[in-house]
Structures are given as structure tokens and as C-alpha cells.
Amino acid sequence: MSTSEVDLAPIGLVPEQGGAAAVERTGPSMAELREEHGRRRSRIAAGRREAVERQHRLGKRTARERLDLLLDVGSFVEVDLYRRGAGGGPHTDGVVAGSGTVDGRRVFVYAQDFTISGGSLGAQHAAKIQKVMDLAVATGSPIVALNDSGGARIQEGVLALHGYGGIFRRQVAASGVIPQIAVVLGPSAGGAAYSPALADFTFMVRDTAQMYLTGPDIVAQVTGERVSHADLGGADVHGSRSGVASFVHDDEESCLEGVRELLSLLPDNNLVPPPALPPCGAETDYRPRLAEIVPVEPNRPYDIRSVLAEVVDDGDYLEVHEHWARNVVCALARIDGHVVGVVGNQPVVLAGVLDISASQKAARFVRFCDAFGIPLVSLVDVPGFLPGTEQELGGAIRHGAKLLYAYCEATVPRVQVILRKAYGGAYIVMDSRSVGTDLSLAWPTNEIAVMGPEGAVNLLHRRELAASDDPARLRAALVEDYRSELMHPYHAAEHGLVDDVIDPVETRAAIARGLAVLRDKRAEPPRRKHGNAPL
């Protein structure tokens, strides 16, 4: 045998007649390899039939079915399909991760797969999530997390906890850089609950989603209190009482459609503007109904959302935390095609006062809008802060300071419209000229003062009233004098604290013109690591 024959034989090459080398097939063909590759991928994607059927019986879709609802058809590109957990186990390790598009715009996603180990998080599971988070930041794309997990994988011990820590650290680093949306579609217990809490917006589905740090069994063992999963951490609890859920939906289909709607109003990252639509003539759009919605009498209620619908394009807006802290309304909308964030006091709930929850809700919304370059419009009709020992002892001062801090820190274009009353510290907090609003407008019904005229007169003239033979008549006269001297609608404008007093029907047009003027606003924050917000 020649030297060439000895060297080539082990790799299947033998000389042909005439000395040329030829390839000898010793394994499967390319067609066979491709066929096996396709079968393997299909088998992994399909999952175990009995586990999928059990998921459906629980009223839940699989991870891949959910991604099909969220993303544009055919756009999903998966990463780490073949990754497995410690000691082997099923491929994907219980989480489907990758990227796709929503209305043609790139987003990164991961969907925990409850059919594999209850969606529990181990080291490889966490590594997949961390990979797509890193890619989202690197490409400046939003990230959407579909959560359905029993929590940390107990058998992996500290490695699972370490995996959670890496996710949380990345969420904090990405905060204010890319939008982060969490969708809770099943359990999210223990440390897993902190990931939705760190997101910018959290969606939950009634009946199937639960989120808590310690479950009902642990609560019963430690405190003796018996509570159901729904009452402890269900969607309605977090949507109306704790404020953890930004949006609550009845089913997964409407929930994921809601995520798509939210994404349509958000920028890809903090360096680009939100997606705009063509102008629709808002700068000359006068709305006669605005002169009818708001009563002239300061104590008569009305729904601020009726005003909001007249101000924004097509009456269309997306309200955040609709069922929590309802005395303030926060919404994303468009005015003349451009995305804005609107904060408005709600007179039909607690007369529109600010309290602990309303301050927290509005502060977080203002900070989000500022982080992502979304202009702010504040519709003001506020009688003050809610009085009472429960509020004071609960830290109303500290929580009210959160909203004050958020507005003072904001550098995006800001327009304030004072519809009716604006009393005391609440006037200052609601983006007044003194805390940096760029444009302050007021209706002829505005009343800006330290407090309402009745309260002011009772304090300023208590001796005269006590000595009067007809205190009611004297009080009425003093109230009228106080109102005419200090609370007439042009008083603040005369001192430069309101830029213009406008006809209510001009409100939409005036806001649109103001935002157009401010569109190129630039403001450099002070050179510092960060401020110390009153958390």
C-alpha cells in the first residue's frame, strides 16, 4: 500500500485509478441529515403532548402559542433551542427565547414554558433570558417577558438564585434605556415576582395569573391567616389595590393585543423618539364640547377622561393603572400624531385629591415618560392632598415628594393646563411654573390659591366671624372679597405664573401649538451620578 493510501484511508479517501482522491460515503447523506434536523426541531417545539394538553386544561396557552399571538406572523427568530439544564433534561430548559417584530418593529422576547418543569428557573434557563436581555440592550430594542413559572428550581439551589440575580441586575441596567414589559400569564412566585416589579409596565390575566413573594400555604403556616391564591396575588388585587399590575385583562388574547398597543406608543429606546403619525390638524382644532364638560362650580364633579378624549387624537388613549389610585389618571396618547403622556386629576374620585397611591402612580409615570423622551401634559383640577391621620402616618409627605421630585427632574417638553381649582402644595406638585413646566395655560374657571376661599376666610377672619351678629352673611361677603382679590382667573397670569388664559374650546389646539414650539427642547441634566429620590 502506498503512503498516500495509508494516510487517506482513515478518513474515507482512497485513490482512484490514475492517482486522484475520491470521497467514499460512510454516513448519512445531506438529505437524511436535513430530514433528521427538521424532525428534531419539530419534536422540541411541539413539546410533550400530555403536558401541552394539561396546560390547555388550565386555560393557558403554551409559550409558543403566546409568541404567535404577540409577534408578527413568521417573524420569530429563536436562540438556544437546544440548550438543556443541569444533568440533561428537556431541550429549551423551560423557556423559549429570541426576537421578532411587532408591527414591523424589532422586539426581544422570552416566554417561560410551564409544560417543562413548571417553567422553573435554573442556571441554563436564566442564561437564555440574560442572553436576550443583553441583545435587546445592544440593539436598542424593547424586551417583553412572558412569565409563567413556579419560581426557582429547588434542585439547582444557589445556582438558580444566582440566575435570578443576573436577570435583576440587567433589568436595572436597562431601566430608562429600553422599554421593559412584563406579562404575567401564570404563577410568578417568590423571587420571580421581582422581575415584573422591575419592569416599566406589567400586564396580568384574570383567573390564571398570580404573583406573590410567599404563597397561601406559607402565609397560613406563619400567620395562621387563610387566603386564596387570587385574594393574595391575583390580577384584580394587583390591578386595584397593590398597584403592581399596570394593565389587567380577561384573557391571554386581549392581554397580548394590549402589549402590541402599548408598544405602538413607545420608542425603541431612549435615544429615538416614539413612533409618530402624520399631523392631523390639531393646532387649529377647536372643541366646543370642552366648554360644556367642566362645571363652573368648583365642587361639582366631572370625569377628567371626557376632557382627555377631547384633547387627544381621535379620542384614543391608553390608560395606565386604570383601576388603582383612580383619583389621578395617567395615559399615553397622541396629539397631532405625536405621543404624549397625560396626567390628570380625577374629580369623580375623592374629588381629585392627591394621596399616597396617586402620588406614587403619577410619579412613576412621569419618570417613565421623561426617561423615554415622551412630552408631558398635566390637566390640573386638584383641591389639595387628602387629609387624615392614615395618610400622614403612612408617609404622605414622603410619597407626595416623589411626584414633586419626578416633575422637577423631568427635562422633556411639559405643558400644564389648569382647568379649575389648584390649591396649596398640590398646585405646586402638579407641574406648576415654579417646578419647571415650560408652558402653563389656564381656563377662565381657574382658581389658584393656598387653599379654598371658605377655608382661607375661616382662618384669616375667625375673630371677626366669632364676634359677628350674622356670621353667615359676613363669611359670604369675605369669601367673595377673597375670591375677587386673590383667586380671580387672571391673578396668576398677572404675575407671570400662567402664560395664557385660554378659552376652553381652544385647549387641544393650544396644547398642540405649545408642544410644536417645544419639540426641539434640549436640557442637560446636572453632572452627578444620580439624585436621591425620596423612595
Side-chain angles (χ1 to χ4, degrees):
M1 182 180 292
S2 68
T3 303
S4 61
E5 288 176 321
V6 173
D7 293 340
L8 296 173
I11 59 173
L13 297 177
V14 295
E16 293 182 347
Q17 290 183 354
V23 177
E24 179 181 309
R25 184 172 65 84
T26 61
S29 68
M30 177 60 76
E32 291 169 331
L33 289 171
R34 291 177 63 201
E35 186 177 348
E36 171 56 26
H37 169 71
R39 285 197 301 266
R40 181 182 294 268
R41 292 184 71 91
S42 297
R43 188 167 58 250
I44 295 171
R48 293 184 300 114
R49 178 181 297 177
E50 61 273 20
V52 171
E53 291 174 350
R54 184 167 57 250
Q55 181 83 342
H56 289 164
R57 285 196 299 272
L58 292 171
K60 301 193 295 183
R61 288 176 169 82
T62 66
R64 295 179 188 279
E65 289 170 341
R66 289 162 174 168
L67 291 174
D68 287 343
L69 284 175
L70 173 65
L71 301 173
D72 297 339
V73 175
S75 69
F76 182 54
V77 179
E78 188 168 355
V79 299
D80 283 348
L81 172 70
Y82 301 107
R83 195 184 282 252
R84 304 171 81 174
H91 291 290
T92 73
D93 201 33
V95 62
V96 181
S99 72
T101 60
V102 173
D103 294 328
R105 297 168 60 207
R106 177 66 51 191
V107 298
F108 283 80
V109 293
Y110 67 86
Q112 293 179 311
D113 187 350
F114 198 78
T115 69
I116 296 178
S117 303
S120 60
L121 183 139
Q124 296 303 316
H125 182 121
K128 291 180 65 173
I129 294 174
Q130 293 167 11
K131 177 182 285 190
V132 294
M133 294 180 75
D134 291 340
L135 288 170
V137 172
T139 60
S141 306
I143 187 161
V144 181
L146 307 185
N147 297 272
D148 189 359
S149 170
R153 195 170 297 166
I154 297 173
Q155 58 269 38
E156 292 198 29
V158 69
L159 294 179
L161 300 179
H162 179 68
Y164 272 126
I167 293 170
F168 301 156
R169 178 167 56 85
R170 284 170 172 80
Q171 284 188 268
V172 172
S175 181
V177 179
I178 57 171
Q180 300 180 64
I181 299 172
V183 188
V184 183
L185 300 162
S188 188
Y194 281 119
S195 185
L198 288 170
D200 295 309
F201 300 97
T202 299
F203 289 74
M204 292 186 74
V205 175
R206 288 187 177 92
D207 300 329
T208 57
Q210 302 102 36
M211 186 164 39
Y212 36 63
L213 296 177
T214 54
D217 293 341
I218 302 298
V219 170
Q221 289 176 20
V222 174
T223 69
E225 181 183 4
R226 298 289 177 180
V227 62
S228 68
H229 289 277
D231 289 338
L232 183 64
D236 286 322
V237 167
H238 288 307
S240 62
R241 296 183 61 183
S242 74
V244 174
S246 315
F247 303 95
V248 174
H249 288 268
D250 290 330
D251 53 63
E252 293 188 10
E253 184 173 4
S254 63
C255 179
L256 295 172
E257 182 58 38
V259 175
R260 290 176 62 93
E261 181 183 3
L262 174 61
L263 284 167
S264 74
L265 294 164
L266 303 183
D268 292 335
N269 57 66
N270 66 324
L271 299 179
V272 298
L277 299 178
C280 54
E283 293 187 30
T284 56
D285 188 0
Y286 298 98
R287 297 297 180 97
R289 188 164 179 269
L290 284 171
E292 304 168 359
I293 293 172
V294 180
V296 173
E297 300 83 1
N299 295 326
R300 283 184 57 193
Y302 65 94
D303 194 335
I304 192 65
R305 291 173 297 187
S306 299
V307 176
L308 176 58
E310 291 293 320
V311 168
V312 302
D313 295 352
D314 301 320
D316 189 21
Y317 58 89
L318 180 61
E319 187 173 352
V320 182
H321 290 296
E322 179 182 358
H323 303 291
W324 176 57
R326 295 185 303 114
N327 41 322
V328 68
V329 170
C330 299
L332 291 166
R334 282 188 170 87
I335 294 180
D336 214 22
H338 293 274
V339 177
V340 297
V342 182
V343 179
N345 307 112
Q346 176 57 290
V348 295
V349 180
L350 296 175
V353 297
L354 290 175
D355 61 2
I356 289 173
S357 295
S359 298
Q360 292 175 320
K361 171 180 170 177
R364 182 160 171 78
F365 182 76
V366 167
R367 285 175 66 85
F368 174 83
C369 290
D370 185 51
F372 288 99
I374 299 174
L376 286 160
V377 176
S378 300
L379 303 177
V380 183
D381 190 348
V382 60
F385 283 90
L386 182 64
T389 55
E390 181 179 353
Q391 287 288 308
E392 294 291 351
L393 298 180
I397 296 172
R398 176 168 51 88
H399 294 292
K402 293 177 182 179
L403 181 53
L404 179 60
Y405 192 102
Y407 269 125
C408 288
E409 189 180 45
T411 59
V412 293
R414 292 150 57 185
V415 176
Q416 178 200 47
V417 184
I418 304 169
L419 308 182
R420 214 167 48 168
K421 54 192 177 295
Y423 296 158
Y427 154 70
I428 302 172
V429 167
M430 284 298 297
D431 204 20
S432 63
R433 166 68 71 197
S434 54
V435 300
T437 196
D438 297 298
L439 179 65
S440 179
L441 306 172
W443 286 10
T445 47
N446 85 83
E447 293 183 347
I448 305 174
V450 175
M451 62 178 65
E454 291 80 6
V457 165
N458 287 338
L459 285 175
L460 293 172
H461 302 282
R462 58 181 180 273
R463 292 182 180 176
E464 297 98 311
L465 291 170
S468 174
D469 294 333
D470 191 350
R473 182 177 180 181
L474 176 60
R475 181 181 291 106
L478 292 171
V479 164
E480 184 58 33
D481 289 344
Y482 183 87
R483 193 187 298 273
S484 63
E485 289 181 22
L486 297 175
M487 295 182 64
H488 66 80
Y490 304 95
H491 182 70
E494 291 169 357
H495 291 79
L497 300 178
V498 166
D499 294 293
D500 196 9
V501 178
I502 62 172
D503 186 325
V505 304
E506 300 177 43
T507 305
R508 171 170 159 79
I511 293 173
R513 290 193 294 265
L515 291 173
V517 169
L518 297 167
R519 192 148 293 135
D520 295 326
K521 176 187 174 183
R522 296 290 181 269
E524 288 295 326
R527 295 180 61 84
R528 59 182 177 182
K529 186 174 182 180
H530 57 71
N532 186 19
L535 301 176

